Amino acid sequence: METHDTAHGSEKDGAKDGTKDSTTTATTRKPPSTLARNLKFGLGLTLGLGLSAALAGGYWLRQAWQDLPPVEHLARYKPALPLRILSSEGELLAEYGEERREFLPLKEIPLRMRQALLAIEDARFYEHGAVDFYGLTRATLANVVTGHHAQGASTITMQVARDFFLSREKTVQRKLTEMLLAYKLEQHYGKDKLLELYMNQIYLGERSYGFSAASNIYFDKPLAEVSIAEAAMLAGLPKAPSAYNPVANPQRATVRQHYILQRMRELGYITPAEYDAAVAEKLALNKDRNSSVHAAAYAVEEARQLIVQSYPEGAYSMGLDVTTTIRMAPQRAADKALRDGLLNAQARRGYRGPEARLAASQDSVARQLAAYPDSGELRAALVRKVAASGARQVTAQLRNGDEIVLMASDVRLGGKLQWEGKRAIVEGSVIRVVHDAAKNRWLVSQLPEMEGALISVDAHSGEIVAMAGGFDFYRNHYNHATQAYRQPGSSFKPFVYSAALEKGYFPGTAVDDTQRLLLPQETGAQPWRPRNYGNNYEGFISVRRGLVRSKNLVAVSLMQAAGPGYVQHYATRFGFEGARNPVSLPLALGAGAVTPLQLAQSYSVFANGGMQMPPKLIKEVRSRSGAVLFSDAAPRAKGEPAPGTQVISTRNAYVMDSMLRDVVKSGTGRGALALGRGDAAGKTGTSNNAYDAWFAGYSSGLVSVVWLGYDQPKSLGNATGGTLALPVWRDYMQVAVQGRREQVLAEPPGLALLDGDYVYAEYLAGDCLKDNFAFIHSSISCGSGSADTRMAHGDAGAGGNGGSGATTSEARTLSEAREREQILKSFSEE
């Protein structure tokens, strides 16, 4: 039993031992490490996150793609194009619009310009897709190595996407959207179209958009004419237009230009010789790049206003090209002649003294002179030092900091500089200086206080050839040529003479040039004693001599004889406003009010056989695509009458022309003989108290009027139209008539000769209005009843020969009488 038990116990123990071994084996295996578990977890998490991110990214891409803006409209890309105003020859005068832009198809953009841009912006543009991953990788590595944003990786397509659709904020989402848009763009458009869009849309500084506009602004030339060096300079602008502006930052711009030229050479776009020549080329930059108006400023403003009235909604965005009638050679001559005339007229009155005296300041000279802008050749300067002993010498600074020295003997004015008193030049004075290039010196000058105007019109077409509305448009926008109503003085007399021709008078009629007192029943107001300039009287003289010598008594007598009402109504045919030229005898001496343009338009009637053409400033309006929206140059059919108005008869105009030519040959307009043209005709004018100086005249079919005076009327001193206005007219016309033929007029029918002068043929038979004025002697007898009735008809209700206005109501008569009395009180003759 014991043995059995032992054996059994041994068996049980063995079983126990066996169980123990098995458990030990199982429990002694190495459990998975923490690292392994973390790796497994991380891998699973990464895969999960990656899958989630891929799903989220895919969803975002899908949504982002669907949310991308449509790009189809770019096929019809029509950017906002500015209004351009051109001269008759096609020279750009001005450009208006928030953006300076000119769209050019890619085929019209020169190859060198395209190559310069690709060399610096995207050399592999035609090789890669919408996104250049090679370039993106290269740029990323370069930026990591340098530690800052050294290179960009945007393709031109990506830049098109950004410029047309996106902002410039630097975020990942915007960059991804930009890439998606780039792909969408390349699905719809070819590379050439995308490059075309880019080169016309990109901002290049100075309000210029696109390379065509930039070429005109920076180099004053069309893009087709830029050199390789200029193309490289323009190609450097897209990255940072202000930083690489060749005017503001010439050194940085040049460094970038040279780098672009180097890239062009490396890419085989240019040869080594072309590279060397381009690097050595000195660029000529446009000095007027910031000015929207380049020339003919007053005419340009008139044209701009007309276009805005016609196209109020799209004047500055439709891309209108407006061709004016302005011709540049006469226009430049008009500007120069008027400025010189005003400066010379001001010099006659002496030096007014400095424009201001500034307190000592630490500000730059440019800032101190900011309120005193330059005016053409007249530049502002700040006096820094005045030598008190020896030869008087002034040291001054221009606004750019240049220091100049002026000697007292260099003064370009009437009289010497004053060194004491209110007009003295002292330290801190703001003065005007002008450079004398011939002697390489600076002279003291001054801005004129008086203003002026010059308007020039082609009598046969009505085209305004030149318009100078003042001394400086940027100093005074008021256009005196079209807006200033001033007394015309004796320049109005020819219209009185023209009216008298229709009442039976003629150049040979004798009129008493003796001072006389006009009674109230003659004036319709107070008594009036008109007098001649210089109190010079000659007794009975011919009508022709009366105009040649500008005799006031002759003009007043003719108006009285023809009837003030008739003459006033007759003058309105020419375009004078009746309300501004009321019925009164002083109207014969220019007591009304006219503008220089009105006077030029009226004199054109005498130069054009009695026909008046409406004044024209706009010749043609085209869209930038070339479509004609308006044209005033359409040819007339054979035999079709000119679109003008026959204001007076051909024979009246012929007789007046002959008398106005005599004014130039031997009268107050003799200064016009300097033209050397036998057809020169015209009349001087000086208004009451010499407030206004005029000359109106014509030659070779070109009518020009010059006016000088103060905006706030005051006397010009001892001056007349012959001394102030006529020299300006002469200097201008010497340029303006070049290339024009003299007018050779044929004598019209209906004229006869009496005592060597012209007379209407029917007057010889007595078919003219009979009168009994003691101050007029005529060698013909008028008086047929039909003539009296016919010619007197124009006087009805207009005051008759005495100007009493007997046929009007009592209230109107009283009003007109008071008006005449006021005119007589304020008017004394030339």
Side-chain angles (χ1 to χ4, degrees), residues 534-699:
N535 284 315
N536 181 24
Y537 307 96
E538 300 183 46
F540 276 93
I541 60 174
S542 70
V543 166
R544 182 179 292 272
R545 180 168 177 80
L547 184 61
V548 168
R549 305 301 298 173
S550 195
K551 294 288 189 173
N552 288 342
L553 266 298
V554 175
V556 171
S557 295
L558 282 176
M559 186 166 190
Q560 184 180 2
Y566 173 78
V567 173
Q568 187 261 6
H569 179 72
Y570 184 90
T572 60
R573 301 183 188 179
F574 293 84
F576 298 122
E577 300 171 40
R580 295 182 182 271
N581 297 276
V583 177
S584 65
L585 286 177
L587 182 63
L589 308 180
V594 304
T595 68
L597 177 58
Q598 287 177 344
L599 199 59
Q601 183 182 2
S602 300
Y603 269 76
S604 71
V605 174
F606 300 137
N608 194 32
M611 176 75 73
Q612 186 180 71
M613 305 297 291
K616 305 170 187 175
L617 181 61
I618 305 296
K619 181 183 291 186
E620 186 179 73
V621 179
R622 289 177 178 261
S623 67
R624 202 72 94 239
S625 64
V628 178
L629 306 180
F630 167 81
S631 177
D632 194 50
R636 297 196 307 273
K638 187 175 182 181
E640 182 182 350
T645 303
Q646 193 71 37
V647 174
I648 59 176
S649 67
T650 305
R651 62 180 180 172
N652 186 304
Y654 184 85
V655 174
M656 288 305 306
D657 175 70
S658 74
M659 288 198 287
L660 289 170
R661 291 192 192 200
D662 277 356
V663 173
V664 169
K665 291 176 183 177
S666 55
T668 58
R670 282 189 299 272
L673 288 174
L675 285 185
R677 300 209 168 202
D679 67 342
K683 183 71 185 72
T684 55
T686 310
S687 71
N688 183 36
N689 294 326
Y691 284 176
D692 306 272
W694 297 82
F695 187 79
Y698 53 88
S699 174

Side-chain angles (χ1 to χ4, degrees), residues 394-603:
V394 176
T395 303
Q397 264 188 307
L398 303 175
R399 72 179 66 250
N400 63 3
D402 290 350
E403 192 172 90
I404 60 175
V405 176
L406 306 107
M407 303 294 291
S409 59
D410 289 342
V411 181
R412 189 194 178 202
L413 307 164
K416 296 182 178 180
L417 291 179
Q418 295 185 17
W419 304 106
E420 296 180 357
K422 295 181 179 180
R423 298 184 179 182
I425 295 178
V426 297
E427 185 176 326
S429 295
V430 177
I431 62 174
R432 294 285 166 172
V433 297
V434 63
H435 188 246
D436 179 5
K439 297 184 179 180
N440 192 27
R441 60 178 182 172
W442 289 90
L443 310 177
V444 176
S445 188
Q446 64 182 337
L447 291 169
E449 285 185 313
M450 62 185 68
E451 272 291 358
L454 190 159
I455 187 81
S456 189
V457 180
D458 188 303
H460 306 303
S461 66
E463 292 185 351
I464 297 175
V465 174
M467 178 189 292
F471 181 78
D472 184 348
F473 176 79
Y474 299 100
R475 178 174 169 233
N476 186 351
H477 284 18
Y478 186 75
N479 190 341
H480 299 83
T482 60
Q483 296 176 283
Y485 284 88
R486 306 295 294 232
Q487 283 190 352
S490 294
S491 63
F492 188 83
K493 289 177 181 176
F495 306 101
V496 178
Y497 282 67
S498 177
L501 288 178
E502 300 301 318
K503 282 302 190 80
Y505 307 105
F506 55 97
T509 299
V511 181
D512 189 7
D513 180 37
T514 302
Q515 192 173 27
R516 59 191 175 91
L517 177 67
L518 296 175
L519 301 175
Q521 58 266 35
E522 296 175 287
T523 65
Q526 64 186 24
W528 180 43
R529 188 184 297 274
R531 59 186 179 86
N532 286 338
Y533 180 73
N535 284 315
N536 181 24
Y537 307 96
E538 300 183 46
F540 276 93
I541 60 174
S542 70
V543 166
R544 182 179 292 272
R545 180 168 177 80
L547 184 61
V548 168
R549 305 301 298 173
S550 195
K551 294 288 189 173
N552 288 342
L553 266 298
V554 175
V556 171
S557 295
L558 282 176
M559 186 166 190
Q560 184 180 2
Y566 173 78
V567 173
Q568 187 261 6
H569 179 72
Y570 184 90
T572 60
R573 301 183 188 179
F574 293 84
F576 298 122
E577 300 171 40
R580 295 182 182 271
N581 297 276
V583 177
S584 65
L585 286 177
L587 182 63
L589 308 180
V594 304
T595 68
L597 177 58
Q598 287 177 344
L599 199 59
Q601 183 182 2
S602 300
Y603 269 76

Side-chain angles (χ1 to χ4, degrees), residues 740-754:
R740 287 176 169 266
R741 294 182 179 180
E742 291 188 27
Q743 295 275 347
V744 180
L745 303 177
E747 183 179 315
L751 289 177
L753 287 177
L754 178 64

Side-chain angles (χ1 to χ4, degrees), residues 122-463:
D122 194 351
R124 300 177 59 250
F125 174 65
Y126 284 96
E127 301 170 15
H128 60 65
V131 178
D132 183 6
F133 290 101
Y134 170 77
L136 184 63
T137 303
R138 184 194 68 245
T140 302
L141 291 174
N143 294 340
V144 169
V145 170
T146 59
H148 63 276
H149 185 74
Q151 293 185 17
S154 293
T155 64
I156 282 179
T157 308
M158 292 168 65
Q159 293 186 59
V160 170
R162 181 176 64 237
D163 290 339
F164 277 96
F165 301 103
L166 304 174
S167 68
R168 288 187 171 268
E169 61 176 346
K170 296 183 178 181
T171 63
V172 174
Q173 182 175 350
R174 195 227 68 191
K175 195 68 176 178
L176 292 174
T177 304
E178 182 181 301
M179 292 179 176
L180 288 178
L181 263 175
Y183 278 109
K184 188 171 183 178
L185 286 170
E186 293 214 352
Q187 283 184 355
H188 285 78
Y189 304 106
K191 292 285 190 178
D192 284 350
K193 180 62 177 178
L194 292 169
L195 182 60
E196 176 184 272
L197 291 170
Y198 177 80
M199 296 191 75
N200 282 284
Q201 177 70 15
I202 191 69
Y203 177 64
L204 299 171
E206 306 286 356
R207 292 194 296 114
S208 65
Y209 289 78
F211 285 91
S212 181
S215 175
N216 281 305
I217 290 168
Y218 288 104
F219 299 117
D220 195 22
K221 62 172 64 174
L223 191 59
E225 297 178 9
V226 297
S227 65
I228 293 174
E230 290 167 336
M233 182 64 78
L234 293 175
L237 291 168
K239 182 178 181 180
S242 59
Y244 297 111
N245 185 313
V247 179
N249 295 294
Q251 292 182 342
R252 294 183 66 180
T254 301
V255 169
R256 185 161 176 81
Q257 176 211 30
H258 288 177
Y259 175 68
I260 293 172
L261 290 170
Q262 180 181 338
R263 289 282 298 150
M264 293 178 73
R265 183 185 61 182
E266 292 171 354
L267 293 167
Y269 293 157
I270 58 175
T271 66
E274 288 174 325
Y275 168 81
D276 292 338
V279 169
E281 182 178 334
K282 186 176 181 180
L283 302 186
L285 297 171
N286 179 18
K287 296 180 180 179
D288 298 326
R289 69 194 184 285
N290 289 321
S291 174
S292 61
V293 180
H294 303 285
Y298 288 99
V300 162
E301 177 58 18
E302 290 289 320
R304 184 194 68 81
Q305 292 182 19
L306 290 172
I307 294 301
V308 170
Q309 291 171 12
S310 300
Y311 305 92
E313 299 299 326
Y316 301 138
S317 60
M318 292 171 60
L320 299 178
D321 284 344
V322 179
T323 301
T324 66
T325 58
I326 296 297
R327 301 173 194 171
M328 290 316 296
Q331 179 62 52
R332 291 190 176 98
D335 290 335
K336 184 178 187 307
L338 182 61
R339 284 178 67 89
D340 288 349
L342 287 168
L343 287 171
N344 292 334
Q346 190 66 61
R348 292 160 59 102
R349 303 182 70 83
Y351 187 54
R352 300 191 309 275
E355 289 184 37
R357 291 178 180 174
L358 305 182
S361 172
Q362 297 299 318
D363 288 342
S364 66
V365 66
R367 180 168 296 182
Q368 292 185 71
L369 293 177
Y372 309 93
D374 295 340
S375 175
E377 72 281 10
L378 270 67
R379 301 174 65 179
L382 181 62
V383 175
R384 292 302 193 187
K385 183 179 179 182
V386 178
S389 59
R392 292 284 188 173
Q393 182 173 299
V394 176
T395 303
Q397 264 188 307
L398 303 175
R399 72 179 66 250
N400 63 3
D402 290 350
E403 192 172 90
I404 60 175
V405 176
L406 306 107
M407 303 294 291
S409 59
D410 289 342
V411 181
R412 189 194 178 202
L413 307 164
K416 296 182 178 180
L417 291 179
Q418 295 185 17
W419 304 106
E420 296 180 357
K422 295 181 179 180
R423 298 184 179 182
I425 295 178
V426 297
E427 185 176 326
S429 295
V430 177
I431 62 174
R432 294 285 166 172
V433 297
V434 63
H435 188 246
D436 179 5
K439 297 184 179 180
N440 192 27
R441 60 178 182 172
W442 289 90
L443 310 177
V444 176
S445 188
Q446 64 182 337
L447 291 169
E449 285 185 313
M450 62 185 68
E451 272 291 358
L454 190 159
I455 187 81
S456 189
V457 180
D458 188 303
H460 306 303
S461 66
E463 292 185 351

